[in-house]
Amino acid sequence: DGEVAAWISAATEKIHGYTQQFFEPTVAVVVADVAPDGLVLLPRRVRSVTSVTPVHAGDDAPSLPSSAYRVTSSEVLGGVDAVHLRWGGYDDLIVGAESWAGGWRGLFDRWGAEQARITGEFGYAAVPV
């Protein structure tokens, strides 16, 4: 019934708004602050990450390769939902991320990017008890 589906959808949106969590695997984009040590704490449970991009007004930034970051999830006991940027990497084929320009850290620093756009799958595998 269409009316029941509409009520379920409205309740789902209300729950997501209140808890800031997805209770089923959902593809989403999260923008989060980058700490000086390269830690990006995520507000939702992360399942997988497909791209990490520096946020900089007016520019289309390249996505970092998967070798430039590490993902941890609170699904693992004692873990935290985060992306850990590895500042030591570089790519001489991407303007701003060259080895002589400071690599991935140079790219973030040059743009003054204090945030990262994380695209991936977020949410719990099953609804918690």
Side-chain angles (χ1 to χ4, degrees):
D1 181 53
E3 187 176 351
V4 172
W7 280 107
I8 290 172
S9 179
T12 302
E13 286 300 315
K14 189 72 120 173
I15 291 168
H16 288 170
Y18 180 75
T19 63
Q20 294 298 308
Q21 289 292 335
F22 296 123
F23 294 102
E24 58 189 19
T26 304
V27 174
V29 176
V30 172
V31 175
D33 293 335
V34 178
D37 64 352
L39 178 66
V40 183
L41 292 174
L42 301 173
R44 294 185 170 91
R45 175 172 277 184
V46 64
R47 298 181 56 74
S48 64
V49 170
T50 55
S51 74
V52 176
T53 309
V55 174
H56 182 66
D59 287 338
D60 289 329
S63 291
L64 303 180
S66 59
S67 62
Y69 58 87
R70 180 174 55 91
V71 179
T72 58
S73 175
S74 62
E75 189 169 21
V76 176
L77 185 62
V80 63
D81 295 307
V83 172
H84 306 265
L85 299 176
R86 298 178 182 160
W87 292 121
Y90 63 90
D91 188 341
D92 288 338
L93 300 177
I94 296 178
V95 175
E98 302 96 341
S99 57
W100 60 85
W104 299 117
R105 182 176 191 125
L107 184 67
F108 268 79
D109 290 347
R110 180 174 306 130
W111 285 347
E114 296 176 353
Q115 293 183 318
R117 180 178 296 111
I118 315 295
T119 304
E121 188 176 49
F122 297 87
Y124 289 82
V127 178
V129 178

